[in-house]
Amino acid sequence: MTIAPTEPYKPLPRSLVALVVVIAAIECLLSAADAGLIADPTLRARLLGTGAFWTQLLHGAEPVFAAQPYTMFLSHALLHGGFTHMTMNMVMLLALGRFVSDRYGSGTILPLFLVGAVAGGAAYGLLATGGAPMVGASGADFAFIGVWTVWDLRRHRAARVPTSPVWRRVAVLALLNVVMYWWLGGMLAWQAHLGGFLAGCAFGAALEARASAQALRARAEARRARRGGAE
């Protein structure tokens, strides 16, 4: 019996680990404050006041500090509503971040997270009607889902097989958002999910275009090398 060789284990990219550690550390600190383990039980409320995404700040409300209407587009993705909320988002980020890093390089992790967070905040600011603050990395997570979806569509088309399984997964994801929105009594930032997903699709299309161009150049160089070796 022969055993197929296995690929060597590749550690998680440092940028992904650092991002998850920072977000987890923030939530652990806030959870400790909530539990009375540190001296300031108001810490979560104060951080939400300065770091959450507040749509009112886009419509003339007075910010806590001058740059808050701009920093909230990123800071909201570093805060969460609780340990469970944070854990769910970080598990998704680790899984999808591994895929993105393996295919496109670890240098894409932080830019994609930033694009997803900002796009999620922008969509929330445009579409949300209530005044509740929005926190969580799910908008950024959905940007990673968008990149994965674009790659999967391209993979199906390259193999000349139907793309319907990909579209079914997108439909199921949309349905899950509807169900969760109803189950949570409207406390789901589907707008951020949508914005992050669309931004991720655009980001993924750019990454795939770059990958295709690199593959074309590599094949052209290989052909030139073969011709040169034959002379």
Side-chain angles (χ1 to χ4, degrees), residues 79-229:
L79 302 173
H80 287 82
F83 197 82
T84 300
H85 185 205
M86 181 274 297
T87 301
M88 291 172 60
N89 278 336
M90 292 306 98
V91 168
M92 186 180 297
L93 181 60
L94 285 169
L96 294 167
R98 159 73 85 177
F99 160 76
V100 169
S101 175
D102 286 349
R103 175 147 181 86
Y104 306 108
S106 60
T108 58
I109 297 295
L110 294 181
L112 179 55
F113 185 90
L114 175 62
V115 166
V118 171
Y124 187 80
L126 286 171
L127 301 175
T129 56
M134 186 269 288
V135 294
S138 55
D141 283 349
F142 269 77
F144 283 79
I145 295 175
V147 169
W148 175 61
T149 300
V150 168
W151 165 81
D152 208 12
L153 281 170
R154 185 174 183 271
R155 180 174 67 95
H156 279 70
R157 288 168 180 159
R160 299 181 184 278
V161 297
T163 59
S164 52
V166 182
W167 295 116
R168 279 198 295 269
R169 284 195 295 272
V170 172
V172 168
L173 195 61
L175 180 60
L176 283 174
N177 271 263
V178 172
V179 172
M180 290 294 292
Y181 182 82
W182 171 79
W183 186 47
L184 295 174
M187 299 300 292
L188 180 78
W190 63 266
Q191 303 92 337
H193 298 176
L194 176 62
F197 179 77
L198 293 177
C201 287
F203 200 98
L207 290 174
E208 283 297 315
R210 185 184 69 178
S212 296
Q214 290 172 344
L216 287 173
R217 285 196 297 268
R219 286 196 291 268
E221 290 171 2
R223 285 195 297 269
R224 285 195 295 269
R226 286 196 299 269
R227 286 197 298 267

Side-chain angles (χ1 to χ4, degrees), residues 26 29-30 42-52 79:
I26 292 172
L29 177 64
L30 297 182
T42 68
L43 184 59
R44 186 182 296 275
R46 291 195 294 111
L47 274 185
L48 288 179
T50 56
L79 302 173

